[in-house]
Amino acid sequence: MVSHSGLITVMERAVRKAAPRLRRDFGEVQNLQVSRKGPADFVSMADKQAEETIVEELRKARPDWGLLLEEGGEIAGDPSKPRWIVDPLDGTSNFLHGIPHFAISIAVDDPVGGITHGMVYQPLTDEGFWAEKGRGAWVQGNRLRVSSRRDLADALVATGIPFLGHGDFTQWSRIFGAVAPEVAGIRRFGSAALDLAWVAAGRYDAFWESGLKPWDVAAGWLLVKEAGGFVTDFRGTDRAVEKGEVLAANGDIHSRLHKLVANALR
């Protein structure tokens, strides 16, 4: 079994403590789908309860660290210390509809070193994708590497599609129009954190999306980088997490996709 730092142990303990409740709630929401009860409030509560459990574990381990939370907003800590970035349920719409594709995402944001640790955990499959800056990316004890495909014609690309009140549909349409004719396929599974973890694992060859939040992408950003991939914004700069605009792939595919995207946005 590969060794890892104490911070990965803390994150793993937190996600594993929150996971049983999410699995149980997922079963309940499937039942709610066929009743007249509105499941949205139920899912929102599941989201918040998972976050509370995770925060409790993280604060127990590092009480002076701040947190950036999807549900709870920003909780200040010692500004000289790192902070946690937490999404307790990435893929809420999937959860809401009984679709078994969602994840917990936790990252460490250091004031000096940036994103240094990340974990994306899928409660239903018990897959824990994790990375440490400079030490690689892993799923359980197996090393992750981005895919080695070089040709766009062989590439399977993931994306996130704008929807009601979210995203720039005009921008997305222009990128889709440039990319789709060049690749083997495009998938939209509904969890940016898992999409990035799957790029790190070589299951997808690339991923693009905009309008994201730090908790959607911080851990996945590090996973792809530590698995040997490239992650930039659409302009090719290293501000993907800051801008919420992500283009992730191996080196060859990233270079080719970036040209298509840049041309589409001119």
Side-chain angles (χ1 to χ4, degrees), residues 131-144:
E132 294 187 58
K133 190 174 183 178
R135 297 193 62 194
W138 309 78
V139 58
Q140 317 314 48
N142 299 314
R143 186 71 181 259
L144 294 177

Side-chain angles (χ1 to χ4, degrees), residues 53-109:
T53 298
I54 292 166
V55 169
E56 181 182 358
E57 287 298 310
L58 298 181
R59 301 214 81 174
K60 189 187 303 180
R62 299 291 189 275
D64 54 349
W65 286 20
L67 298 105
L68 180 62
L69 310 168
E70 183 193 21
E71 296 298 327
E74 189 162 6
I75 299 174
D78 184 336
S80 68
K81 300 288 181 67
R83 66 174 179 172
W84 303 102
I85 301 178
V86 179
D87 189 340
L89 181 54
D90 185 63
T92 305
S93 292
N94 285 343
F95 192 101
L96 173 66
H97 289 84
I99 297 171
H101 190 80
F102 54 89
I104 301 168
S105 178
I106 305 176
V108 173
D109 182 16

Side-chain angles (χ1 to χ4, degrees), residues 32-240:
L32 287 176
Q33 285 299 112
V34 296
S35 76
R36 295 193 63 180
K37 297 178 183 177
D41 288 342
F42 181 90
V43 173
S44 177
M45 186 59 66
D47 208 329
K48 290 176 182 176
Q49 288 174 337
E51 186 172 274
E52 288 170 3
T53 298
I54 292 166
V55 169
E56 181 182 358
E57 287 298 310
L58 298 181
R59 301 214 81 174
K60 189 187 303 180
R62 299 291 189 275
D64 54 349
W65 286 20
L67 298 105
L68 180 62
L69 310 168
E70 183 193 21
E71 296 298 327
E74 189 162 6
I75 299 174
D78 184 336
S80 68
K81 300 288 181 67
R83 66 174 179 172
W84 303 102
I85 301 178
V86 179
D87 189 340
L89 181 54
D90 185 63
T92 305
S93 292
N94 285 343
F95 192 101
L96 173 66
H97 289 84
I99 297 171
H101 190 80
F102 54 89
I104 301 168
S105 178
I106 305 176
V108 173
D109 182 16
D110 185 270
V112 176
I115 307 300
T116 59
H117 299 72
M119 175 168 285
V120 174
Y121 180 72
Q122 218 292 26
L124 299 182
T125 63
D126 193 36
E127 284 188 304
F129 302 86
W130 59 272
E132 294 187 58
K133 190 174 183 178
R135 297 193 62 194
W138 309 78
V139 58
Q140 317 314 48
N142 299 314
R143 186 71 181 259
L144 294 177
R145 299 298 299 178
V146 292
S147 82
S148 59
R149 294 183 182 88
R150 303 183 62 182
D151 296 327
L152 283 179
D154 299 325
L156 185 63
V157 180
T159 188
I161 301 174
F163 55 96
L164 181 64
H166 296 270
D168 184 336
F169 192 80
T170 299
Q171 180 196 67
W172 182 87
S173 297
R174 291 168 67 183
I175 296 173
F176 179 84
V179 172
E182 306 294 330
V183 300
I186 293 179
R187 300 289 183 269
R188 201 284 192 189
F189 277 12
S191 170
L194 272 180
D195 286 342
L196 287 165
W198 284 16
V199 171
R203 300 176 187 178
Y204 290 140
D205 299 295
F207 167 74
W208 95 83
E209 188 171 358
S210 62
L212 296 166
K213 300 296 185 182
W215 49 79
D216 296 320
V217 298
W221 175 89
L222 185 64
L223 282 165
V224 175
K225 300 265 283 189
E226 288 297 320
F230 288 77
V231 189
T232 69
D233 61 22
F234 293 166
R235 307 298 173 182
T237 72
D238 193 26
R239 298 175 61 203

